[in-house]
């Protein structure tokens, strides 16, 4: 059987729905308030929100330098690629 765009979107939608269900369960089971101290700031936050926010910040810290490197490599590839006739 050949994969199509519609089947890919369908599988992606199901995977996203399952991920959201797991995320809702995670938040429901970790909703208690915990004290947070960071660089002189202090407060009470939901444990689930704190963990999720930390994960998002971690993803951003990894993806930003990675994206910059990908852009650098694409520019270098375009610069060093042999020119095609007619372009």
């Amino acid at each position: 059987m050949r994969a199509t765009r519609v089947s890919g979107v369908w599988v992606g939608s199901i995977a996203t729905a399952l991920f959201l269900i797991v995320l809702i369960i995670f938040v429901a089971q970790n909703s208690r308030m915990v004290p947070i101290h960071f660089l002189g700031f202090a407060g009470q936050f939901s444990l689930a929100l704190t963990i999720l926010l930390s994960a998002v910040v971690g993803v951003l810290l990894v993806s930003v330098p990675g994206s910059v490197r990908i852009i650098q490599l694409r520019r270098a590839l375009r610069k060093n690629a042999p020119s095609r006739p007619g372009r």
Side-chain angles (χ1 to χ4, degrees):
M1 179 177 258
R2 191 167 169 251
T4 63
R5 286 186 183 174
V6 174
S7 66
V9 169
W10 184 249
V11 170
S13 298
I14 292 171
T16 301
L18 290 174
F19 176 75
L20 289 175
I21 290 169
V22 170
L23 192 62
I24 289 168
I25 293 169
F26 172 77
V27 170
Q29 290 180 345
N30 294 290
S31 60
R32 70 183 173 133
M33 300 299 277
V34 294
I36 303 292
H37 303 280
F38 181 70
L39 297 175
F41 298 104
Q44 294 275 334
F45 296 100
S46 163
L47 177 61
L49 180 64
T50 303
I51 293 171
L52 290 174
L53 185 62
S54 298
V56 168
V57 170
V59 166
L60 291 175
L61 286 175
V62 170
S63 65
V64 169
S67 297
V68 170
R69 183 63 181 148
I70 289 170
I71 291 169
Q72 287 176 339
L73 291 172
R74 285 183 180 169
R75 284 184 183 164
L77 184 63
R78 268 189 255 131
K79 181 180 176 185
N80 296 327
S83 61
R84 295 183 189 172
R87 277 195 156 184

